Amino acid sequence: EVQLLESGGGLIQPGGSLRLSCAASGFTFSSYAMSWVRQAPGKGLEWVSVISDSGGRTYYADSVKGRFTISRDNSKNTLYLQVNSLRGEDTAVYYCAKGVVVIDDAFDIWGQGTMVTVSS
Amino acid sequence: AIRMTQSPSSFSASTGDRVTITCRASQSISSYLVWYQQKPGKAPKLLIYAASTLQSGVPSRFSGSGSGTDFTLTISGLQSEDFATYYCQQYYTYPLTFGQGTKVEIK
């Protein structure tokens, strides 16, 4: 079964850091671009970042550029998102998502999400 | 960034209705458009990509059309399991952007 499983979320104070992880199974992880998408409580979807299949290319939303870093370990079938300098507006469910074959930026598989709450 | 605007933001419909949701891009995105369905507490589900290509396993009552700046998602014969929020997303360029969502409620 194709599956993505996020972890690493939690309650964190403003200015703090977390590392989110996304464990992939059931497909050849190293062949697909991967993204992070977030959703604030009661709000819509916001794309955060993408990384190419090899890890050689990354892109970020302006709202997180310079604070978040996406990475992957293809030997461990795991995607990461290092989130630093957290702000209240970063409070959201963070989903990892797999790109459709030949369309890196349309997402056919999503994880269940991990909640990040930024609050003092 | 390309702005994606959906209309309406919400509406009520009955089982069996034919419903249409519109998504407009602030600039041309060719056919680089995706539609997702999301139910409360769940991750989004891919319905359509490349504006009109049905994702494997998605019922044929869902269809998409459009190119350039104007797109539509049509559900022909609304079923009870279709009451959800629908999002469009462009993948023409970074940053990827989503519409604000359209919530389809039961009348």
Side-chain angles (χ1 to χ4, degrees):
Chain A
E1 180 189 4
V2 177
Q3 192 171 3
L4 298 171
L5 186 62
E6 301 96 336
S7 61
L11 175 62
I12 188 79
Q13 291 188 339
S17 298
L18 284 173
R19 189 175 81 158
L20 308 183
S21 299
C22 170
S25 59
F27 65 99
T28 306
F29 180 71
S30 60
S31 295
Y32 293 91
M34 297 292 296
S35 278
W36 288 96
V37 176
R38 68 184 181 182
Q39 187 169 35
K43 302 298 184 182
L45 301 167
E46 180 188 16
W47 173 77
V48 172
S49 182
V50 63
I51 187 166
S52 62
D53 52 2
S54 66
R57 289 184 299 113
T58 60
Y59 297 93
Y60 298 91
D62 287 346
S63 59
V64 307
K65 202 173 295 183
R67 299 188 299 123
F68 290 11
T69 302
I70 192 171
S71 62
R72 65 192 297 160
D73 186 336
N74 286 343
S75 69
K76 294 183 178 179
N77 291 342
T78 303
L79 174 73
Y80 302 101
L81 186 69
Q82 178 68 39
V83 297
N84 298 331
S85 303
L86 282 163
R87 308 165 180 167
E89 56 263 37
D90 296 318
T91 293
V93 174
Y94 285 73
Y95 295 102
C96 62
K98 167 188 164 292
V100 175
V101 62
V102 306
I103 306 177
D104 289 348
D105 303 317
F107 311 124
D108 61 347
I109 303 296
W110 297 64
Q112 87 291 347
T114 188
M115 183 71 203
V116 173
T117 303
V118 183
S119 175
S120 55
Chain B
I2 296 176
R3 180 175 176 83
M4 307 301 292
T5 303
Q6 291 181 231
S7 60
S9 295
S10 66
F11 67 95
S12 299
S14 300
T15 303
D17 285 352
R18 176 185 172 94
V19 302
T20 298
I21 298 169
T22 297
C23 178
R24 175 164 289 175
S26 62
Q27 67 182 73
S28 177
I29 58 170
S30 185
S31 295
Y32 295 97
L33 186 98
V34 182
W35 289 98
Y36 301 97
Q37 175 194 67
Q38 187 180 33
K39 296 181 179 179
K42 300 294 186 182
K45 174 187 174 182
L46 176 64
L47 299 175
I48 287 168
Y49 61 91
S52 60
T53 302
L54 199 65
Q55 170 69 355
S56 176
V58 173
S60 59
R61 63 181 179 272
F62 291 92
S63 63
S65 65
S67 66
T69 60
D70 294 317
F71 303 87
T72 59
L73 172 70
T74 299
I75 310 172
S76 300
L78 199 64
Q79 300 297 303
S80 58
E81 59 266 33
D82 302 334
F83 292 97
T85 299
Y86 293 84
Y87 293 93
C88 62
Q89 176 226 316
Q90 66 81 17
Y91 58 97
Y92 180 77
T93 189
Y94 297 116
L96 308 180
T97 46
F98 290 87
Q100 81 279 14
T102 295
K103 187 174 184 179
V104 180
E105 299 175 300
I106 301 173
K107 183 182 287 184

